[in-house]
Amino acid sequence: MPIGDLALHVVESGPAEGRPFLFPHGRPESWRTWLGVMTAAGGEARTIAVDLPGIGGSSGAVEGGSKRRPAEVVQALVRRLGLTGTTLVGHDAGGMAAYAYLRRFAAEGFRATGVRDLTTAVVADAGHFAQEEQPAAVWALLRDFAAAPAA
């Protein structure tokens, strides 16, 4: 999927009208980190995993190690896919991108930047559990978190 000067590898499952969960991965991993969780979600939600720039099936690179640029890439992907009510779930480097997304766009005010599409966010360091140990338990936790009323 072209995003500016990048080409992102995006894998989706679940119904297009389902509540979206967007999963950026950690390093040195790929979108496959989230495969077990996406499988556990079944048809309950629209799950979207992405290879971050320069990793796996994605091309291009984010120079300098800044997390601001990956946050902008995540925003561009959210907009490109037309996502609303998204739960952003990042692991490791993906967690840093998710955190940078919140800092970058919440600081300016979501409405002021036109970002009205992220209602909840989770930064999880759960890669091992998501991949091998308990993907169904990780999915249940994320599903319940997203369904809980905002505090």
Side-chain angles (χ1 to χ4, degrees), residues 8-85:
L8 299 182
H9 180 216
V10 178
V11 178
E12 296 189 55
S13 68
E17 67 281 355
R19 182 182 180 118
F21 286 76
L22 178 58
F23 298 101
H25 60 81
R27 297 198 193 273
E29 300 159 352
S30 72
W31 73 270
R32 292 180 187 275
T33 297
W34 298 109
L35 182 58
V37 175
M38 293 171 75
T39 301
E44 286 186 60
R46 179 181 181 187
T47 56
I48 306 145
V50 58
D51 280 339
L52 293 171
I55 300 173
S58 292
S59 64
V62 176
E63 302 297 326
S66 167
K67 298 305 176 248
R68 177 173 258 213
R69 179 72 173 122
E72 291 167 351
V73 170
V74 168
Q75 179 197 18
L77 179 61
V78 166
R79 285 186 171 169
R80 175 72 185 261
L81 293 173
L83 302 179
T84 59

Side-chain angles (χ1 to χ4, degrees), residues 47-135:
T47 56
I48 306 145
V50 58
D51 280 339
L52 293 171
I55 300 173
S58 292
S59 64
V62 176
E63 302 297 326
S66 167
K67 298 305 176 248
R68 177 173 258 213
R69 179 72 173 122
E72 291 167 351
V73 170
V74 168
Q75 179 197 18
L77 179 61
V78 166
R79 285 186 171 169
R80 175 72 185 261
L81 293 173
L83 302 179
T84 59
T86 305
T87 300
L88 180 61
V89 184
H91 158 65
D92 189 63
M96 290 183 262
Y99 179 72
Y101 185 103
L102 292 175
R103 292 211 17 124
R104 164 79 168 87
F105 298 109
E108 296 179 16
F110 287 143
R111 294 193 188 280
T113 62
V115 179
R116 297 182 197 89
D117 40 39
L118 185 73
T119 58
T120 58
V122 178
V123 178
D125 189 12
H128 176 72
F129 292 102
Q131 291 178 59
E132 299 168 15
E133 298 293 327
Q134 300 290 327

